[in-house]
Amino acid sequence: MAGHSKWAQIKHKKAQIDAKKGKIFTKLVKEISVAARLGGGDPEKNPRLRVAIEKAREVNMPMDNIKRAIMKGTGELAGTTYEEVIYEGYGPGGVAILIEAMTDNKNRTVSEIRHLLSKHGGSLGESGCVSWIFEKKGYILVDKKAIDEDTLISVALEAGVEDVKNDPKEENYEIIVSPEQLNQVKTIIEKAGIPISFAQVTMLPKNYISIEGEDAEKMLKLMDALEDHDDVQNVYANFDIPEEAMSKAEV
């Protein structure tokens, strides 16, 4: 999990700031609309939509916005149709990058993604070039100050998690679950009185590449640039960067 916990927290903090600017709303509207189009407008019967709505509520998106996004997805309201696309490539130092995007113009988006990668020392690759490095998992962070390890492990194992990690260098315990179990496990942990810092379905790397110095700075700038792109929903990478370099990326 090297570097993953730290970046997850940085990303979460940035999302909160972007929410104040209304910037993250655009991405969430896309996700809600696509989820509703693919699985229907009932969050009780559509897990993907339920998660998207929870994310929207976390950043205080107005309920009217959420409802309109669902109705656009189900066809009850006219709206732009977005297509899901995945781009794969490499960052500085050979870091593997997986980019999930939603677009109404694939030619425009791929051109802009290619430009961003090239500008920051990376390159766009062929489909399948790095996807094998990543696994879809439910990922939960719990602040070590909030609970002792034994108590957390006891609750987590009862909830049926796959693993609980305690990296001495990290400020959080990392809990790994199957994507389908994320909401259930999150609920069980919270009912036990354990506060959760971060919970999301993510793509976890099977291995990591250590980079530092100029490559580390370029990689963090590249991550920021990609996640700032309006069409990009999520960016995953297998970098391991020294703590001091990562701290500079904090909001």
Side-chain angles (χ1 to χ4, degrees):
M1 296 298 108
H4 202 89
S5 169
K6 188 71 172 174
W7 183 256
Q9 288 189 92
I10 291 170
K11 183 178 174 182
H12 189 60
K13 288 178 184 176
K14 287 180 176 177
Q16 299 298 324
I17 287 178
D18 284 347
K20 291 176 184 175
K21 302 173 186 174
K23 187 172 184 181
I24 200 171
F25 287 6
T26 303
K27 297 189 178 190
L28 286 169
V29 163
K30 287 183 183 180
E31 172 61 22
I32 291 168
S33 296
V34 169
R37 189 181 82 233
L38 296 177
D42 184 354
E44 294 304 314
K45 298 176 182 177
N46 184 344
R48 178 173 175 178
L49 178 60
R50 185 170 65 247
V51 170
I53 291 172
E54 284 177 3
K55 284 184 188 176
R57 285 174 173 164
E58 281 178 11
V59 294
N60 299 314
M61 179 186 282
M63 201 59 212
D64 283 348
N65 295 38
I66 295 172
K67 287 177 180 176
R68 280 198 299 271
I70 293 171
M71 291 173 75
K72 285 178 182 178
T74 57
E76 296 169 78
L77 283 179
T80 305
T81 300
Y82 297 103
E83 186 177 356
E84 292 182 286
V85 285
I86 293 177
Y87 303 108
E88 301 178 44
Y90 301 93
V95 169
I97 303 176
L98 194 65
I99 303 162
E100 295 175 346
M102 290 184 186
T103 179
D104 60 348
N105 186 330
K106 289 201 295 184
N107 290 335
R108 180 202 69 225
T109 303
V110 72
S111 174
E112 291 173 355
I113 296 299
R114 183 182 287 111
H115 171 72
L116 286 176
L117 286 164
S118 176
K119 180 180 177 181
H120 296 281
S123 61
L124 191 64
E126 297 293 324
S127 177
C129 67
V130 301
S131 57
W132 60 273
I133 294 173
F134 299 87
E135 289 182 298
K136 182 176 277 191
K137 294 289 183 183
Y139 184 70
I140 299 171
L141 294 179
V142 173
D143 192 329
K144 290 180 181 178
K145 295 173 186 173
I147 192 78
D148 66 273
E149 185 178 6
D150 288 343
T151 302
L152 177 63
I153 288 175
S154 176
V155 173
L157 293 180
E158 245 182 76
V161 308
E162 292 182 11
D163 199 6
V164 178
K165 296 181 181 291
N166 180 9
D167 186 335
K169 296 182 292 183
E170 298 290 349
E171 297 174 354
N172 297 279
Y173 300 110
E174 296 171 297
I175 301 171
I176 314 302
V177 304
S178 68
E180 298 77 19
Q181 285 184 300
L182 178 63
N183 285 331
Q184 177 187 330
V185 171
K186 181 173 175 281
T187 300
I188 291 171
I189 291 173
E190 287 176 333
K191 280 185 177 178
I194 302 170
I196 289 174
S197 305
F198 180 86
Q200 190 173 324
V201 173
T202 188
M203 299 294 286
L204 289 180
K206 298 174 188 174
N207 56 64
Y208 287 81
I209 291 178
S210 294
I211 54 173
E212 54 186 36
E214 188 177 343
D215 279 347
E217 289 179 21
K218 284 183 178 178
M219 187 66 229
L220 293 174
K221 286 179 182 177
L222 173 56
M223 291 290 286
D224 273 339
L226 288 170
E227 291 191 339
D228 202 42
H229 191 284
D230 286 342
D231 293 342
V232 173
Q233 295 294 106
N234 294 294
V235 184
Y236 309 106
N238 69 335
F239 60 80
D240 182 16
I241 293 177
E243 176 71 22
E244 58 271 19
M246 193 75 87
S247 295
K248 291 178 183 178
E250 289 197 68
V251 177

